[in-house]
Amino acid sequence: MQTGNLLGGAVLVEAIFAWPGLGQLAEQALVRRDYPVVQDLLLLPRHRLRPRPTAHRPRPRLARPPDQVGVTAMTALTKAALPLARRPRHPYRAALATARGRTGLVLVGLVVLAGLLAPLLAGHGPTDQSGLTLAGPGTPGHPLGTDDLGRDLLSRLLHGIRADLGIIAIAVPLGALLGCLFALAAAAHPIADTVVQRAFDLVLAFPGLILALAITAILGPGRLPVIIVIALAEIPVFGRLLRTGILVQRGREYVTAARVGGSSGGRILTRHVLPNAADPLVVQIAVSLTVAVFIEGAMSFLGVGVRPPEPTLGAVLSQSMPYLAQAPHFAAGPLVTVTALVLGLSPTAEALNREIRR
């Protein structure tokens, strides 16, 4: 599994430092539209994939000890209600009330607010050019300076945040929704479970950036390939997480109590199992947002993301690479913004995880 991840990281590292290798070969093959090379690079990680035998695995059944055979439905319901009574009523609110939660919420809120108010805060259009090239911060009319084409860096930064947030807001929920649907299908029947798990293994075997290069070679650069890559990367993550939660919750006492009470399988799944199995998904959404920021930035940095001259954080950072020594302020804006997003989402996810696990 790690072979694909290493190959995906090689694409970005070799593009930054101009090192020869498989990563640079993949990028050049995409530019030349050399589809046989792209196909070979896609199939390379699959040779390292060794899935477990797809033997039929019987659905686990709950054991009934001899001393509980005659338990009544009321007694089982009472036992199941005791641990649930100690659970906080609002775990998400309690998590966001902690120091970590408040810090992360403030950082993410500031970045999101800057992106939403981009047309109002930016004094220039993101593609408007002026006679000043590589002007430093504090230039009249350009608080953060200008780029190599004389475009206002503050305007491009704010509109880049807006573009990135729009992509992430679509891709991550889409991947979560499809992953949850696959998890429900896997929980319904053992054969479907085997098929879905092998499909997840296949997706995870491909490195994300190599998959991004292949999709871009087919569809061309733009917003749609970025959304597809992020969603495909998140489908197996959410699918496996929800499937595990369903299997764990099926063995709890309150599920046994619901069965004794005569509830149907569908009612138990929708009214009892899913609400308790969905808590880790909230934490995973915060983590996936962080991963999506890196994927979008890497694709735009490699030139396979959003089409220029539309600004994104990765595109602005990629344009600043030749001028790091001459104009370091060029790269400061996107670097600080990405850092703020990561530092905001990570403690928020950690606070949610701690509160849910109590």
Side-chain angles (χ1 to χ4, degrees), residues 44-263:
L44 177 63
R46 295 186 60 185
H47 297 294
R48 304 294 302 174
L49 179 62
R50 295 293 185 270
R52 291 173 296 179
T54 57
H56 175 71
R57 291 176 294 176
R59 183 176 300 179
R61 296 185 178 181
L62 297 175
R64 301 186 64 186
D67 57 342
Q68 292 187 3
V69 173
V71 67
T72 61
M74 186 59 67
T75 305
L77 287 171
T78 304
K79 290 183 178 181
L82 287 177
L84 297 179
R86 304 189 192 100
R87 187 173 183 176
R89 294 181 59 187
H90 302 287
Y92 305 143
R93 186 183 302 175
L96 296 179
T98 61
R100 292 176 179 270
R102 288 196 300 266
T103 303
L105 195 62
V106 168
L107 289 175
V108 175
L110 289 176
V111 176
V112 172
L113 187 63
L116 294 177
L117 299 179
L120 301 177
L121 298 177
H124 305 272
T127 58
D128 296 342
Q129 298 182 0
S130 64
L132 300 174
T133 58
L134 298 178
T139 303
H142 305 283
L144 297 183
T146 59
D147 62 4
D148 55 329
L149 298 179
R151 297 171 294 192
D152 183 62
L153 284 178
L154 177 61
S155 177
R156 292 187 63 79
L157 177 63
L158 294 176
H159 285 84
I161 295 173
R162 187 184 182 93
D164 283 16
L165 292 178
I167 292 173
I168 294 171
I170 297 175
V172 174
L174 178 62
L177 177 61
L178 294 177
C180 292
L181 292 178
F182 282 118
L184 292 176
H189 197 275
I191 297 180
D193 185 23
T194 301
V195 174
V196 170
Q197 292 307 306
R198 297 292 77 77
F200 286 168
D201 290 340
L202 184 62
V203 174
L204 292 174
F206 290 107
L209 290 180
I210 298 297
L211 184 62
L213 293 175
I215 294 177
T216 307
I218 298 173
L219 301 179
R223 289 175 178 261
L224 181 60
V226 180
I227 294 174
I228 292 176
V229 170
I230 296 176
L232 283 178
E234 298 302 328
I235 286 175
V237 177
F238 283 94
R240 286 187 166 183
L241 188 61
L242 182 59
R243 172 185 173 272
T244 303
I246 291 176
L247 295 179
V248 170
Q249 296 299 324
R250 277 178 174 175
R252 297 295 177 86
E253 291 184 349
Y254 68 88
V255 175
T256 305
R259 290 175 181 171
V260 174
S263 298

Side-chain angles (χ1 to χ4, degrees), residues 7 37-48 206 210:
L7 183 57
V37 175
V38 176
Q39 181 181 2
D40 291 341
L41 290 172
L42 277 174
L43 295 177
L44 177 63
R46 295 186 60 185
H47 297 294
R48 304 294 302 174
F206 290 107
I210 298 297

